[in-house]
Amino acid sequence: MTKPLDTENRGISARLLDQPYLLLILAPLFWGGNVVAAKLVVGEIDPFLLLAARCLGATLFILPFSWGYLRQDWPVIRRTWPLLMAFGAIGYALFNVLLYVGLGTTTGVNAAIVQAALPMMILAANFVVFRARVKPLQIAGVIIAIMGVMLTATHGDLGRIVGLDINIGDGFVILACLAYTAYTLALKYRPNVHMMSFMAVAFSGAALTGLVMLQLFGAGLASLGTIPRMSPMVWAVIAYVMIFPSMFSQVFYARGVELVGPNRAAPSHNLIPVFGALGSVLVLGERLELYHYLAAAIIVGGIVLAEWSARRKAV
């Protein structure tokens, strides 16, 4: 997704960054934890305020690490900063705020399972937008995976689709996945800058977007002043989403791709819903219903079918 690291690291961080499969487990673990963390503070903090705090904090956190790369890439950034900031507005801000709003009325398990179909949404969008060549079995896999999403969104009763009786929270999570699909497709046009430069400018765009949405749809910019009076749990969640899924997951995944290549790294994205659902059960105490198992099996089946078809095509 981003240009990998090109500098040598030392000490413990160097040893960690030389373990590709550990990195490709930690990255989806932190991304999956985003769902669990946000669900923990539903009702305690406005989702737009959580987003704004996350994006502002992530921007301030990454700037010291990215300053040298920003200076190096400044000629490109100066020409393309609106596009770079738009990546953050859509891929970071819009995706996460829709997810956080959705978690107000759906479970963490549901949100995790819906996100399992994200690879299939991206495959379908590539076919529609870029006319990417796909096999009939890949199309079948996409349709099967989307049926699994609908099974989750209707809580096991597909007949509710006819009456548009879909849980609004699951609907917001689906919209979040569509936003991330658009972000992923747009990465084809990402300017050639260092990963740290990309993240710093994109986070700045996400922070600006988060502040605008907080003012327009949330409790207003003045609500930022209420954060110091919030519970330790809210502070812990803000710190977690600001650092781990925002920065560490991006760096770890990029390094994993650098070490083993994109084709071998890509399946690690399928661990995101696994960790999200597992965390929702273990941390949030949510229950797995029969339709969760059925939906997960259907989505995994669709992914496996599409992957198998793609590998046959490659051979």
Side-chain angles (χ1 to χ4, degrees), residues 17-304:
L17 292 173
D18 284 334
Q19 303 295 321
Y21 294 105
L22 175 60
L23 296 175
L24 293 172
I25 291 174
L26 291 176
L29 173 64
F30 297 151
W31 275 323
N34 183 42
V35 170
V36 180
K39 187 67 178 177
L40 277 171
V41 291
V42 167
E44 287 193 64
I45 182 171
D46 177 81
F48 294 96
L49 179 56
L50 176 59
L51 175 77
R54 169 183 177 166
C55 294
L56 279 172
T59 303
L60 295 174
F61 184 83
I62 197 174
L63 279 177
F65 300 98
S66 60
W67 190 251
Y69 301 108
L70 287 169
R71 293 177 59 187
Q72 173 185 312
D73 292 325
W74 181 245
V76 178
I77 294 171
R78 186 173 54 192
R79 295 194 310 269
T80 61
W81 66 266
L83 176 60
L84 290 168
M85 294 185 76
F87 281 119
I90 297 172
Y92 302 152
L94 186 58
F95 168 77
N96 280 294
V97 80
L98 288 169
L99 177 64
Y100 294 163
V101 170
L103 285 168
T105 50
T106 191
T107 64
V109 170
N110 270 36
I113 291 176
V114 168
Q115 289 183 80
L118 192 51
M120 296 295 95
M121 293 183 183
I122 294 170
L123 176 63
N126 262 309
F127 172 72
V128 172
V129 177
F130 296 123
R131 299 298 180 187
R133 298 183 61 183
V134 295
K135 284 190 171 183
L137 284 179
Q138 289 178 287
I139 297 174
V142 169
I143 295 172
I144 291 170
I146 291 175
M147 288 296 292
V149 171
M150 291 298 100
L151 186 65
T152 304
T154 58
H155 291 205
D157 183 7
L158 289 175
R160 294 168 62 181
I161 295 177
V162 177
L164 298 179
D165 185 16
I166 296 176
N167 180 281
I168 190 170
D170 294 316
F172 274 113
V173 178
I174 292 172
L175 289 175
C177 291
L178 291 175
Y180 200 82
T181 297
Y183 162 78
T184 303
L185 264 61
L187 284 173
K188 180 178 181 179
Y189 305 104
R190 183 180 73 81
N192 186 25
V193 295
H194 192 274
M195 179 190 69
M196 299 300 288
S197 297
F198 174 80
M199 290 172 60
V201 182
F203 283 173
S204 299
L208 179 60
T209 304
L211 291 174
V212 171
M213 289 194 291
L214 176 61
Q215 180 63 33
L216 295 179
F217 308 113
L221 295 177
S223 63
L224 288 167
T226 66
I227 293 178
R229 301 192 297 273
M230 292 185 176
S231 70
M233 178 62 74
V234 172
W235 273 90
V237 165
I238 290 175
Y240 174 83
V241 299
M242 178 183 79
I243 297 172
F244 289 90
S246 294
M247 184 172 177
F248 286 173
S249 286
Q250 298 285 351
V251 172
F252 289 173
Y253 182 73
R255 177 61 174 167
V257 169
E258 181 184 20
L259 292 174
V260 302
N263 290 337
R264 292 167 65 188
S268 68
H269 280 289
N270 296 325
L271 291 174
I272 298 174
V274 174
F275 287 132
L278 186 62
S280 297
V281 171
L282 296 179
V283 178
L284 303 175
E286 295 179 357
R287 292 179 55 187
L288 285 169
E289 305 292 345
L290 177 60
Y291 73 86
H292 288 136
Y293 292 103
L294 291 174
I298 290 170
I299 293 171
V300 170
I303 292 172
V304 169

